[in-house]
């Protein structure tokens, strides 16, 4: 048994043994186990995702490090070169590099400014990496497929039945036979077909989709005979928020559409996809970004918007704070007038209203949690503050003639 601050279960000890490190201590993290090791701080997380997506994340982080952005939670393969390790109960775990420090405090302006600077540094690197990712991912897939084919052939030569091999590798038996017959000649063609990783949808298409979903929810609620508190409040507020959603789409489709296409082109790169306080670790002048499960290629201003929106919600939509955060980002990656206009439209869209309504629609209506009503009330209460912030934001960045 390893020495540590917390009792280390036998099942985790078996997982640790698959890595070249000495575990000196453990402690609980957010749904994970944080390790002090001879190689530095590590974190062991249960893996419940998709293997292809995990490999994509691994390739991305290797590219980020190679291009100078090192403070990311790099995935560490085990001694067999596999990205996850199963315990005796077949529960897979992923080991990553981790960092000492604290989450960003969303009430501390200096923390938030440091997080914005960190985001800008990541975005700069992400622009370079976006150009290299497709080829790096393709090369990685080919190498993985060749390795898997060699393992399968070795198993066949050792007398393993095809049925069992197909089950182990989660491949249909007829496809397995085809792989063995065609060999490496078919690997590159198959890899190209499987290289897509769900690039980010354009914001205009996303808003249209959300508006369509809001209307579907509205029609559903209208048909409910005995409406609960959430449904009655939703119907009362629906028209106002739905009109806001339509306005945002109209703005994106207007004469500014060419300019907004240029905005997307200028800020195209790797996006984190979930840049919030829980995925930022700050320590003195250093900072690290973790949890890249939702990364994509797209307009990096969406990362900036998601973080600043969280900041606004927690700080009563203080336009002075928003101005300072955007200025901090612009000091690293200059923002144009069209960028500020684009961000204005992102803030104008009733995202929280859609999110809460969508959550209601996809949950069990018979046992609706009171939290749904509470969240909807909070959004409605914040609306006046948000609209005031938008007015001040527009007045600060644009002349009255632009309205």
């Amino acid at each position: 048994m390893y020495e540590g601050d917390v009792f280390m279960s036998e099942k985790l000890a078996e997982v640790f043994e698959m890595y070249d490190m000495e575990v000196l201590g453990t402690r609980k993290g957010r749904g994970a186990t944080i390790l002090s090791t001879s190689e530095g701080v590590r974190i062991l997380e249960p893996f419940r995702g998709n293997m292809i997506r995990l490999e994509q994340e691994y390739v991305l982080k290797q590219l980020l490090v190679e291009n100078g952005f090192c403070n990311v939670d790099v995935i560490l393969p085990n001694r067999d070169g596999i990205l996850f390790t199963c315990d005796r109960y077949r529960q897979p775990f992923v080991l990553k590099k981790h960092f000492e420090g604290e989450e960003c405090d969303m009430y501390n302006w200096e923390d938030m400014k440091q997080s914005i600077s960190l985001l800008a540094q990541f975005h700069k690197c992400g622009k370079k990496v976006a150009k290299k990712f497709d080829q790096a991912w393709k090369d990685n897939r080919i190498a993985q497929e060749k390795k898997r084919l060699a393992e399968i052939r070795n198993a066949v030569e050792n007398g393993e039945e095809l049925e069992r091999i197909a089950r182990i590798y989660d491949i249909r038996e007829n496809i397995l036979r085809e792989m063995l017959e065609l060999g490496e000649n078919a690997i590159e063609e198959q890899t190209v077909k499987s290289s897509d990783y769900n690039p980010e949808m354009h914001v205009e298409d996303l808003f249209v989709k959300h508006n369509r979903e809001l209307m579907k929810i509205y029609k559903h609620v209208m048909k409910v005979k005995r409406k609960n508190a959430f449904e009655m409040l939703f119907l009362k507020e629906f028209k106002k928020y739905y009109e806001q959603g339509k306005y945002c789409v109209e703005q994106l489709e207007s004469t500014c559409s060419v300019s907004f296409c240029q905005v997307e082109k200028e800020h195209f790169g790797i996006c984190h996809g979930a840049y919030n306080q829980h995925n930022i670790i700050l320590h003195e002048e250093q900072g690290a970004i973790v949890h890249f499960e939702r990364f994509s290629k797209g307009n990096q201003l969406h990362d900036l918007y998601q973080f600043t929106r969280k900041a606004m919600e927690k700080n009563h939509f203080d336009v002075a704070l928003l101005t300072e955060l955007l200025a901090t980002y612009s000091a690293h990656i200059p923002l144009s007038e069209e960028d500020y206009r684009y961000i204005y439209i992102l803030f104008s869209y009733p995202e929280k209203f859609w999110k809460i309504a969508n959550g209601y629609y996809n949950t069990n209506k018979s046992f609706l949690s009171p939290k749904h009503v509470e969240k909807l009330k909070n959004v409605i209460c914040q609306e006046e503050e948000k609209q005031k912030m938008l007015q001040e934001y527009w007045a600060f960045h644009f002349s009255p003639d632009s309205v």
Side-chain angles (χ1 to χ4, degrees):
M1 184 61 66
Y2 301 102
E3 295 179 4
D5 303 320
V6 180
F7 175 74
M8 193 179 302
S9 70
E10 186 177 343
K11 85 168 188 178
L12 284 186
E14 290 179 349
V15 173
F16 299 156
E17 288 170 0
M18 288 297 296
Y19 296 90
D20 292 320
M21 63 183 183
E22 179 186 357
V23 178
L24 307 174
T26 67
R27 67 181 188 273
K28 287 296 179 185
R30 187 188 294 271
T33 302
I34 298 174
L35 318 173
S36 297
T37 81
S38 55
E39 304 301 312
V41 185
R42 302 289 183 259
I43 187 167
L44 189 72
E45 300 175 333
F47 175 59
R48 302 183 183 89
N50 177 278
M51 188 60 203
I52 297 295
R53 187 63 176 170
L54 184 67
E55 290 176 358
Q56 291 166 349
E57 188 183 337
Y58 174 78
V59 170
L60 171 69
K61 290 174 179 176
Q62 294 299 312
L63 283 173
L64 288 171
V65 171
E66 289 170 11
N67 285 271
F69 194 82
C70 301
N71 286 355
V72 292
D73 54 341
V74 175
I75 300 169
L76 303 169
N78 63 23
R79 286 174 178 159
D80 296 331
I82 301 173
L83 299 182
F84 66 88
T85 301
C86 292
D87 64 16
R88 62 173 62 180
Y89 305 106
R90 305 306 299 162
Q91 165 67 49
F93 290 87
V94 175
L95 186 72
K96 298 178 181 178
K97 182 180 178 182
H98 198 56
F99 304 87
E100 296 289 2
E102 301 292 334
E103 287 186 358
C104 171
D105 181 353
M106 296 300 274
Y107 300 101
N108 183 314
W109 285 36
E110 291 306 314
D111 268 18
M112 288 184 281
K113 287 167 62 178
Q114 186 180 349
S115 298
I116 288 289
S117 294
L118 182 64
L119 176 65
Q121 293 165 29
F122 160 65
H123 280 172
K124 281 185 176 180
C125 187
K127 289 178 186 293
K128 301 176 189 174
V129 166
K131 299 175 183 177
K132 304 175 182 179
F133 179 82
D134 287 342
Q135 187 61 49
W137 165 237
K138 178 183 174 183
D139 293 344
N140 178 78
R141 288 298 295 159
I142 291 173
Q144 291 295 329
E145 289 301 315
K146 286 182 178 179
K147 180 181 177 182
R148 183 167 69 159
L149 181 60
E151 291 172 351
I152 290 171
R153 280 183 169 159
N154 185 56
V156 171
E157 290 172 3
N158 290 333
E160 194 73 71
E161 295 181 359
L162 281 183
E163 182 181 356
R164 175 173 164 74
I165 295 173
R167 188 167 63 251
I168 291 172
Y169 284 91
D170 193 24
I171 305 172
R172 291 201 303 272
E173 196 170 335
N174 63 322
I175 295 178
L176 183 59
R177 292 181 186 279
E178 185 178 343
M179 282 179 60
L180 291 170
E181 182 180 342
L182 296 175
E184 294 186 3
N185 294 330
I187 286 178
E188 186 162 347
E189 182 180 347
Q190 292 173 352
T191 300
V192 171
K193 291 179 181 178
S194 65
S195 292
D196 291 337
Y197 50 96
N198 299 321
E200 185 175 295
M201 186 182 293
H202 290 292
V203 68
E204 182 182 332
D205 298 329
L206 188 64
F207 285 175
V208 169
K209 178 175 179 286
H210 288 348
N211 288 348
R212 193 183 305 124
E213 289 165 346
L214 280 173
M215 180 55 71
K216 181 173 68 174
I217 296 166
Y218 171 77
K219 290 178 179 178
H220 164 78
V221 174
M222 286 294 290
K223 293 177 182 178
V224 175
K225 292 183 179 180
R226 298 181 62 181
K227 297 177 175 57
N228 58 35
F230 178 91
E231 291 159 346
M232 289 189 290
L233 186 57
F234 172 82
L235 289 178
K236 180 182 176 183
E237 301 293 332
F238 171 79
K239 184 177 180 181
K240 174 177 67 178
Y241 289 103
Y242 184 68
E243 290 300 322
Q244 287 178 14
K246 285 172 52 179
Y247 165 80
C248 291
V249 172
E250 289 166 1
Q251 288 297 302
L252 291 170
E253 291 176 342
S254 70
T255 53
C256 299
S257 60
V258 175
S259 299
F260 290 147
C261 286
Q262 185 63 27
V263 168
E264 292 196 341
K265 183 179 178 181
E266 288 293 327
H267 294 279
F268 181 82
I270 298 294
C271 304
H272 182 273
Y275 195 75
N276 58 54
Q277 68 271 29
H278 303 304
N279 298 328
I280 303 164
I281 301 176
L282 302 178
H283 180 65
E284 296 178 354
E285 299 301 317
Q286 297 296 315
I289 306 176
V290 299
H291 294 141
F292 282 75
E293 292 85 358
R294 296 177 62 184
F295 87 89
S296 67
K297 279 185 181 179
N299 187 342
Q300 294 178 328
L301 291 183
H302 288 219
D303 279 342
L304 177 62
Y305 159 68
Q306 289 295 340
F307 182 84
T308 52
R309 179 179 65 81
K310 287 278 187 184
M312 291 300 96
E313 290 171 1
K314 293 183 178 295
N315 291 275
H316 299 285
F317 290 89
D318 186 341
V319 73
L321 172 60
L322 178 60
T323 301
E324 191 153 347
L325 293 179
L326 294 181
T328 300
Y329 187 88
S330 190
H332 297 275
I333 301 176
L335 296 174
S336 68
E337 181 175 307
E338 289 307 315
D339 294 335
Y340 284 110
R341 190 188 300 267
Y342 186 87
I343 292 168
Y344 174 85
I345 293 175
L346 292 181
F347 267 104
S348 298
Y349 190 82
E351 184 174 345
K352 285 300 291 281
F353 183 79
W354 163 80
K355 186 175 182 180
I356 293 165
N358 197 51
Y360 149 82
Y361 187 75
N362 291 300
T363 196
N364 188 333
K365 315 297 188 300
S366 302
F367 302 97
L368 192 68
S369 169
K371 287 186 177 180
H372 281 83
V373 181
E374 183 182 336
K375 288 178 179 179
L376 185 54
K377 286 181 177 178
N378 286 341
V379 169
I380 295 166
C381 288
Q382 289 179 333
E383 184 64 18
E384 186 176 343
E385 291 180 334
K386 176 183 170 181
Q387 291 303 321
K388 184 174 182 293
M389 180 207 77
L390 286 170
Q391 291 172 7
E392 293 177 352
Y393 174 97
W394 188 274
F396 182 82
H397 290 287
F398 308 103
S399 66
D401 297 336
S402 301
V403 180

